[in-house]
Amino acid sequence: MLSTTLSSGVMGVDGLLVRVEVDLAFGLPFFSTVGLAEGAVREAKERVRAAIKNSGYEFPPRRITVNLAPATIKKEGSGYDLPIAVGILAASGVLDCPDLAETVLVGELSLDGAVRPVRGVLPMVLEAKANQIRRFLVPAENAHEAAVVQGIEIIAVQNLRQAVQYLQGELEIQPSFTDLEALFGRRSEYPVDFAEVRGQEHVKRAFEVAAAGGHNLLLCGVPGTGKTMMARRLPTILPDLCLSEALASTKVYSTVGLLPEGLPLLVTRPFRAPHHTISDAGLIGGGQIPRPGEVSLAHNGVLFLDELPEFHKHVLEVMRQPLEDGIVTIARAAASFRFPADLMLVAAMNPCPCGFHGDKVKECTCSPKQVQRYRSQLSGPLLDRIDMHVEVPPVQVQEISSRQQGESSQKIRERVNRARRVQQQRFVQSRTITCNARMTPRQLEVFCPLDTAGQQLLNKAIERLGLSARAYHRIIKIARTIADLAEAEQINSSHLAEAVQYRRQQYDVQ
């Protein structure tokens, strides 16, 4: 007796449909699972046996073989418990469901038959919809997350008996529904605001330019100047997430099990601030079965690296690929994994180990050798990939004590949104380019022509500062963003002059 149903797993951050085949044969009772099953999947037989018995059904005393296809891909996790149990009941004749082979089931079983939540439900449902599956049974706690995908029936089940009764037509369960409009109504809700930042007007201007063009940003200044405070407010001025961006970011969080409780879809820009002791696998992703790292958790959002020179040098160097390509590629002997990493990097650092090199009030206690060793943690190629370098001076007492609030995040975001709309129209023919920071050299020639005065200004700046070809292109990209904020069609000398001064700080801190 043979039964077939569908389940799903996660490979990287994408869903994977798995066909669950259950065969019951005569012979001594035995339960085997084939199809490259990892530890948690092999242990499913004990959970399934107890769940079936405690749900009021008889566990068949037969030779049971479970095959998880495709057999060439490793299966991990406990989400295969429910489809295996349903397959055994179908093969033994307890369950009669004509379209069982067209139904996807996922869920972990407890010993009493309750269906527990699993990680990665959103990418699973997206993959099922792409394969034109019409029905998906999920644990009740995962239902709202799964229901953000429109066009597929999401059936929430609480236990094994409920799932069997529904599949047999004995119990009616209404498909789950998630109100996307209500969720997106909360996408401008942030607990912080730029209005709380006193002074630092030129630094806030740099944040606005970075947000408008998607540029990476490095802040350098003595302790207490507000570097971290402003970095944490950057998501509040970034453009609102659209549905496709929200789904892409939520897929990563769903895969690693970090979705906030009660929030089935991320509707605000992610902000990640890992500690400087993080490993390269924690930052980029990896492991025996590769998992997304912090750069992928910051996809479509902000990755903030505070005290940048304190990070291990080899950890920082692995940032080069995601900063350049927006993708992390992790190769293993069996497979290669690609994780999304289209993010804005904001880094902060002190000018020296004690933090007061060049300060007019407190004297620096570091020797020249200590300062050089501290700054040498940041390689030239890494700094070259950070578009904007901004010095953050100490805040004046008058500004701190002032009751006058600064410009709100909402007003800044309105200007950023206008600039981004211009860029969307500019790159309407491209599916991969979404902002000025991602322009290719060919697009620079088309969209960023310089007049004679501007070209002469840029040439002088390149010669005087000794900038690389990459820095040359990045200055033009920043100038294009500044022109967009000014609603100017052409880049002029004033736009280029402002863009050049955002590259000067790099050479002062080396």
Side-chain angles (χ1 to χ4, degrees):
M1 291 173 283
L2 178 68
S3 72
T4 301
T5 186
L6 289 175
S7 186
S8 188
V10 177
M11 187 174 180
V13 293
D14 297 317
L16 172 70
L17 280 184
V18 176
R19 187 166 294 275
V20 181
E21 301 169 341
V22 180
D23 178 67
L24 270 60
F26 292 104
L28 293 175
F30 186 74
F31 194 130
S32 66
T33 304
V34 297
L36 281 184
E38 293 294 308
V41 184
R42 292 196 301 270
E43 292 172 352
K45 60 183 179 182
E46 307 300 339
R47 294 190 295 271
V48 167
R49 180 183 286 108
I52 289 177
K53 290 181 178 179
N54 292 325
S55 296
Y57 303 109
E58 181 182 355
F59 189 81
R62 302 286 183 85
R63 184 178 182 86
I64 302 173
T65 303
V66 176
N67 179 45
L68 304 176
T72 56
I73 299 176
K74 286 184 178 180
K75 320 298 186 310
E76 61 157 345
S78 55
Y80 301 103
D81 292 5
L82 181 61
I84 291 174
V86 168
I88 290 174
L89 294 176
S92 61
V94 174
L95 170 63
D96 182 19
C97 179
D99 60 347
L100 184 61
E102 304 299 324
T103 301
V104 181
L105 303 96
V106 68
E108 176 186 335
L109 289 176
S110 62
L111 299 185
D112 63 355
V115 181
R116 291 176 173 170
V118 296
R119 297 187 298 185
V121 164
L122 180 59
M124 296 179 192
V125 177
L126 288 170
E127 180 66 17
K129 181 185 177 182
N131 283 272
Q132 300 182 339
I133 302 295
R134 69 175 186 86
R135 185 169 63 177
F136 202 121
L137 270 67
V138 300
E141 293 182 41
N142 291 127
H144 286 301
E145 175 190 343
V148 302
V149 182
Q150 308 293 312
I152 182 171
E153 287 187 6
I154 303 299
I155 307 300
V157 293
Q158 297 180 340
N159 52 62
L160 176 60
R161 174 169 284 276
Q162 190 181 59
V164 172
Q165 290 175 342
Y166 171 79
L167 291 171
Q168 288 191 133
E170 298 174 357
L171 177 68
E172 183 178 353
I173 302 176
Q174 292 297 320
S176 297
F177 171 76
T178 297
D179 190 346
L180 293 180
E181 186 174 344
L183 282 175
F184 277 103
R186 300 164 51 187
R187 60 185 172 184
S188 297
E189 296 178 2
Y190 291 94
V192 294
D193 196 286
F194 260 102
E196 301 155 356
V197 180
R198 301 288 190 270
Q200 305 291 22
E201 295 303 323
H202 83 284
V203 183
K204 287 190 279 188
R205 166 64 177 177
F207 271 96
E208 180 179 341
V209 172
H215 304 288
N216 300 321
L217 182 64
L218 173 64
L219 306 172
C220 182
V222 299
T225 54
K227 301 186 294 293
T228 302
M229 181 184 185
M230 287 183 282
R232 292 190 179 279
R233 284 155 177 75
L234 177 57
T236 68
I237 64 173
L238 289 175
D240 296 329
L241 281 173
C242 63
L243 179 58
S244 61
E245 289 177 325
L247 288 173
S249 296
T250 307
K251 278 174 61 176
V252 181
Y253 278 73
S254 176
T255 300
V256 298
L258 289 180
L259 266 182
E261 187 175 352
L263 187 63
L265 184 71
L266 294 180
V267 292
T268 57
R269 297 277 176 181
F271 180 86
R272 303 295 299 180
H275 193 260
H276 63 260
T277 57
I278 193 171
S279 66
D280 51 357
L283 186 63
I284 297 297
Q288 185 177 4
I289 298 177
R291 297 287 189 192
E294 290 290 337
V295 295
S296 296
L297 290 169
H299 180 57
N300 290 323
V302 177
L303 177 67
F304 177 51
L305 301 183
D306 201 4
E307 304 295 344
L308 187 64
E310 299 293 341
F311 284 78
H312 295 296
K313 192 166 186 176
H314 70 276
V315 173
L316 293 178
E317 291 307 306
V318 297
M319 287 286 297
R320 293 190 193 181
Q321 186 205 6
L323 289 180
E324 197 72 25
D325 304 329
I327 291 174
V328 173
T329 303
I330 298 177
R332 292 289 183 267
S336 180
F337 298 83
R338 288 165 63 90
F339 298 133
D342 190 358
L343 56 90
M344 277 188 64
L345 172 67
V346 179
M349 61 177 289
N350 297 325
C352 66
C354 77
F356 297 103
H357 182 74
D359 188 44
K360 298 179 180 178
V361 179
K362 293 187 178 181
E363 185 178 353
C364 176
T365 60
C366 304
S367 67
K369 190 173 182 179
Q370 288 176 313
V371 175
Q372 180 60 33
R373 187 185 303 116
Y374 178 78
R375 295 171 178 175
S376 65
Q377 283 290 103
L378 307 179
S379 68
L382 176 65
L383 288 173
D384 215 23
R385 286 170 168 80
I386 301 179
D387 305 36
M388 303 172 64
H389 303 257
V390 179
E391 184 176 0
V392 185
V395 185
Q396 300 299 317
V397 176
Q398 296 85 350
E399 294 174 328
I400 299 174
S401 58
S402 173
R403 294 187 178 182
Q404 183 178 359
Q405 287 195 329
E407 193 173 24
S408 68
S409 293
Q410 181 180 355
K411 289 185 178 180
I412 301 174
R413 187 168 61 247
E414 288 174 359
R415 295 195 295 269
V416 169
N417 277 324
R418 285 198 296 270
R420 284 291 183 106
R421 283 193 291 270
V422 171
Q423 293 167 46
Q424 289 173 359
Q425 295 174 359
R426 179 179 298 136
F427 307 124
V428 68
Q429 301 296 332
S430 174
R431 296 183 179 180
T432 57
I433 307 299
T434 57
C435 58
N436 288 336
R438 296 295 182 190
M439 278 193 288
T440 64
R442 181 175 297 179
Q443 289 171 325
L444 282 175
E445 294 179 2
V446 175
F447 300 119
C448 305
L450 303 180
D451 56 21
T452 304
Q455 189 65 64
Q456 290 175 350
L457 173 64
L458 183 56
N459 290 344
K460 288 180 181 179
I462 295 298
E463 293 175 2
R464 189 172 180 180
L465 298 175
L467 300 177
S468 67
R470 181 185 284 114
Y472 174 88
H473 289 147
R474 290 183 186 272
I475 288 174
I476 298 177
K477 292 176 185 179
I478 297 169
R480 178 68 268 175
T481 300
I482 295 169
D484 290 342
L485 284 169
E487 300 182 3
E489 292 187 8
Q490 299 294 327
I491 299 173
N492 61 37
S493 299
S494 63
H495 305 145
L496 280 167
E498 183 179 353
V500 168
Q501 62 104 5
Y502 291 132
R503 297 295 300 189
R504 293 178 60 86
Q505 180 64 22
Q506 170 184 345
Y507 303 94
D508 296 335
V509 300
Q510 284 186 327

